[in-house]
């Protein structure tokens, strides 16, 4: 069999070295005579995997001792609810507001589909959401998810969200191809929360600045079915009766996950095991700084094709173009099907844009090889030349 | 390498034929040139897996058209909350009670650790729980999880729980080794909810009798990380403003999962894929009736050892002894470590009882071979003889 060039947005390409190890060990994990699928989550060999995975996340992202690393289930969508439940029940958060006052609002910075959905989830739960901006409503972004409006436009709760329970944003919008170029400058009194599902471990991050930072694994870190949550421990102390909060499921409670080291109930053992192998693979290639370099090399192979093109158009402002998901439309949309079919014939797959926006999406995650991008770039140039009018 | 005899309570032994197929296909799934870990959950090959897995569950358990089959995340523990949220928001459930009345209680039949935890979760969420009985408090069971108290003792909400929102029980208590020998006889007006995590697909079940029946996969059906929920569709219609209910997370909403065919967000693709292969393996061996026969054969190999023993003692009443998890104590507890060490030397692993109860636990799930039970039985006889006083 021939491996294809996999540009999928997630679940997505994983390192071949990791896949081969998973295959080799499938029937006998760590000399146990059992598959990794068959060992108890309370066994010593699996305990080693969880410890190892946590240590590698700490190493790769420089997680300070003030923060816990949790492995949970349900994808980022589950975290949309968990973030609100946990922070509105946090003594650190609530003690900033008068006793007996209604629960404070949370500020959401909406740059695309996923940050919008995160805000909608809190509204669903009955929480107070303040959308500080929605780029799809802002004249500065052409009323579309093409970048981040200037801070002067943000309608925050108090100066720089000082009076918000927390500020939420999504560092890289997978569907829209919009990536923040810096951490938003919020008031030190509030709590910063960030979804890094689709650019986790692709560049260094200053974890200390965040109250909560989380990522579904299935893009840059491993298979679908596990989510990494990094949370500041002091936020997990519960507030008292002066600040009533909404009770919430045990499985969404970060303090339960922390106290049980992600083993409150049976965790997704296989997914954690594969993540651990991917973390090791990243460590062996220069860590997240190494991944950032790989990313730059891939962009360097692709960007000239886009810059010199009259066919391929990226709607995102240059400053906010995602390094992970390059979203394109064709100026001649009638060629889209032929473009995708030709790519498929050449073994370049999963290039179709998200069903909500259409077009083409080129995902350039950590495990994608430069050679795949070079092959795609060559095809794109040839395709444009072939269809020149 | 030699495969061991795996008596683990979960994650537990899986069919070797399935493991070998998973290994073979790891680098190239369904001719895609990608690992199953790398394909989009929205791709045709994975769609086929979900369809297939659903069809096989329907076939194996005889799921009627009135019910949906969902694949969700978070283990049975997440369902402890989801059951309550969904049913208290159900028009069918709430319309049985007067408008404006407080939300109705749910009846819990507590036969062990997991049904107790399920009740505790609803209390945590602010729900009204009526523990119809807790076997650990009942004189008829010796105030321990050793069976089901007689129905005359049950303190139900109304006759046969007629006035309860729903009745909840756990068909097989993995920790305590207690299995119901029949479906509890509840009033037809209420809704029956059952956790079959550790005996799913080990015997036929009349799904039509249940409003919700669910199981974590990691015992009889596949790897950890996916939970199968079967729910009666008419229960998913939301009640109106006359019956206020607690808003709850999208990811716990069965109607969202149903409407999106378990693909609202990225599902645990690999776990569903392995389950599908296990379902096929069960189908090829006579379905759940075939599994029930296999189970009887395994019990027939083990039971004489227990019956003739003065060393091994099962605390559970004969009628309620689990066919899946045989829980034992030694009448000479000082021999427990030697028993486990000797077993380990002979390649018989994961026999230690749950950390909350100690002792020995022999799990006899679908994929465990009769030969493993025969080997264990022979060892148990020899061990008892060797240590006869």
């Amino acid at each position: 069999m021939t491996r294809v060039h996999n540009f999928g947005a997630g679940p997505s390409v994983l390192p071949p070295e990791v896949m081969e190890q998973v295959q080799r060990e499938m029937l006998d994990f760590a000399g146990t005579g059992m598959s990794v699928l068959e060992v108890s989550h309370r066994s010593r060999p699996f305990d080693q995997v969880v410890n190892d995975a946590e240590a590698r996340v700490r190493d790769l992202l420089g997680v300070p001792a003030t923060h816990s690393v949790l492995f949970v289930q349900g994808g980022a969508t589950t975290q949309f609810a968990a973030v609100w439940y946990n922070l509105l029940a946090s003594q650190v958060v609530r003690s900033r507001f008068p006793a007996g006052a209604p629960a404070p609002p949370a500020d959401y910075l909406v740059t695309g589909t996923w940050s919008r959905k995160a805000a909608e989830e809190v509204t669903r739960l009955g929480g107070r959401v303040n959308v500080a901006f929605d780029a799809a409503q802002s004249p500065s972004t052409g009323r579309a998810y093409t970048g981040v409006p200037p801070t002067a436009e943000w309608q925050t709760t108090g100066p720089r969200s000082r009076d918000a329970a927390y500020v939420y944003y999504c560092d890289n919008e997978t569907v829209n191809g919009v990536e923040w170029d810096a951490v938003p400058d919020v008031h030190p009194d509030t709590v910063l929360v960030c979804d890094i599902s689709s650019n986790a471990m692709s560049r260094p991050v200053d974890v200390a600045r965040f109250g909560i930072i989380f990522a579904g694994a299935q893009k840059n870190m491993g298979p679908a079915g596990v989510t990494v949550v990094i949370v500041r421990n002091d936020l997990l102390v519960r507030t008292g009766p002066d600040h009533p909060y909404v009770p919430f499921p045990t499985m969404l409670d970060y303090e339960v996950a922390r106290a049980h080291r992600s083993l409150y109930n049976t965790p997704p053992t296989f997914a954690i095991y594969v993540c651990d192998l991917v973390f090791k693979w990243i460590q062996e290639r220069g860590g997240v700084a190494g991944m950032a370099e790989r990313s730059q090399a891939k962009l360097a192979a692709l960007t000239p094709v886009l810059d010199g093109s009259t066919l391929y158009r990226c709607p995102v402002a240059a400053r906010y173009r995602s390094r992970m998901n390059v979203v394109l439309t064709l100026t001649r949309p009638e060629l889209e099907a032929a473009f995708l079919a030709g790519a498929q014939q050449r073994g370049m797959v999963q290039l179709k844009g998200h069903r909500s926006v259409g077009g083409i999406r080129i995902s350039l995650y950590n495990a994608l090889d430069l050679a795949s991008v070079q092959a795609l770039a060559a095809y794109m140039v040839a395709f444009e030349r072939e269809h020149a009018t």
Side-chain angles (χ1 to χ4, degrees), chain A:
Chain A
M1 75 106 208
T2 326
R3 267 182 75 84
V4 295
H5 302 294
N6 181 354
F7 297 97
S12 45
V13 62
L14 289 170
E17 298 88 347
V18 167
M19 295 292 86
E20 283 155 17
Q21 183 173 350
V22 170
Q23 183 177 48
R24 266 197 319 275
E25 299 180 343
M26 182 50 71
L27 302 183
D28 187 13
F29 162 66
T32 58
M34 296 178 272
S35 170
V36 65
L37 305 180
E38 301 176 305
V39 301
S40 170
H41 54 298
R42 312 246 176 243
S43 66
R44 209 166 301 165
F46 186 74
D47 209 53
Q48 182 60 36
V49 170
V50 174
N51 286 339
D52 218 56
E54 181 190 331
R56 292 189 201 279
V57 171
R58 287 192 174 279
D59 171 55
L60 284 165
L61 295 180
V63 180
T66 45
H67 288 60
S68 291
V69 176
L70 312 174
F71 300 99
V72 298
Q73 290 187 64
T77 304
T78 300
Q79 299 316 307
F80 298 167
V83 158
W84 179 76
Y85 280 131
N86 280 274
L87 290 180
L88 270 288
S90 164
Q91 187 174 61
V92 165
V93 170
R94 297 300 292 276
S95 64
R96 289 163 41 217
F97 301 92
D107 281 2
Y108 278 72
L109 315 180
V110 177
T111 54
T113 300
W114 294 109
S115 44
R116 196 192 66 225
K117 277 182 185 264
E120 286 168 357
E121 180 73 3
V122 171
T123 303
R124 171 187 165 113
L125 297 177
R128 288 171 63 199
V129 168
N130 172 54
V131 175
F133 69 80
D134 182 339
Q137 314 293 331
S138 166
S140 69
T141 50
R143 300 187 194 281
Y145 291 131
T146 61
V148 179
T151 50
E153 276 186 25
W154 301 11
Q155 304 280 331
T156 54
T157 305
R160 292 158 61 220
S161 299
R162 186 195 62 201
D163 304 327
Y166 60 88
V167 181
Y168 182 103
Y169 76 109
C170 176
D171 203 32
N172 184 67
E173 287 282 359
T174 324
V175 171
N176 315 93
V178 174
E179 188 174 22
W180 285 75
D181 66 335
V183 176
D185 176 37
V186 301
H187 197 280
D189 281 1
T190 194
V191 174
L192 195 56
V193 178
C194 186
D195 174 0
I196 56 167
S197 289
S198 52
N199 66 352
M201 299 204 177
S202 72
R203 64 181 177 191
V205 52
D206 184 3
V207 171
R209 294 179 71 171
F210 296 89
I212 301 169
I213 186 163
F214 67 89
Q218 72 273 13
K219 285 123 178 0
N220 269 318
M221 300 192 293
V226 65
T227 305
V228 177
V229 176
I230 303 173
V231 57
R232 223 174 69 204
N233 295 322
D234 68 326
L235 294 171
L236 300 181
V237 177
R238 287 281 184 279
T239 190
D242 281 354
H243 295 97
Y245 59 89
V246 178
F248 59 102
T250 302
M251 289 299 290
L252 271 60
D253 188 333
Y254 296 143
E255 173 54 18
V256 170
R258 188 205 60 76
H260 292 83
R261 296 185 41 256
S262 304
L263 298 171
Y264 175 74
N265 73 342
T266 314
T269 50
F270 177 77
I272 297 173
Y273 153 78
V274 179
C275 283
D276 184 42
L277 298 179
V278 174
F279 296 155
K280 182 160 176 278
W281 182 91
I282 297 175
Q283 284 176 318
E284 290 166 353
R285 280 154 188 82
V288 295
M291 293 300 116
E293 272 176 44
R294 277 170 67 96
S295 167
Q296 286 313 320
K298 287 181 261 184
L299 287 170
L302 188 62
T303 307
V305 177
L306 306 182
D307 288 345
S309 169
T310 57
L311 180 62
Y312 310 110
R313 197 186 149 273
C314 175
V316 179
R319 179 174 164 191
Y320 299 111
R321 273 184 200 163
S322 169
R323 300 164 307 122
M324 296 291 117
N325 313 98
V326 178
V327 167
L328 300 178
T329 53
L330 299 195
T331 51
R332 295 168 59 198
E334 72 277 12
L335 292 178
E336 202 176 291
F339 178 87
L340 291 169
Q344 181 88 37
Q345 273 168 22
R346 288 160 181 80
M348 302 174 194
V349 301
Q350 309 208 120
L351 277 162
K352 209 170 169 175
H354 188 268
R355 66 216 145 94
S356 66
V357 295
I360 287 155
R361 177 168 51 175
I362 305 164
S363 293
L364 306 172
Y365 294 132
N366 284 342
L368 185 77
D369 217 70
L370 176 60
S372 291
V373 186
Q374 289 166 333
L376 177 63
Y379 166 65
M380 288 174 74
V381 169
F383 183 88
E384 179 162 8
R385 196 170 298 143
E386 189 190 334
H387 293 85
T389 43

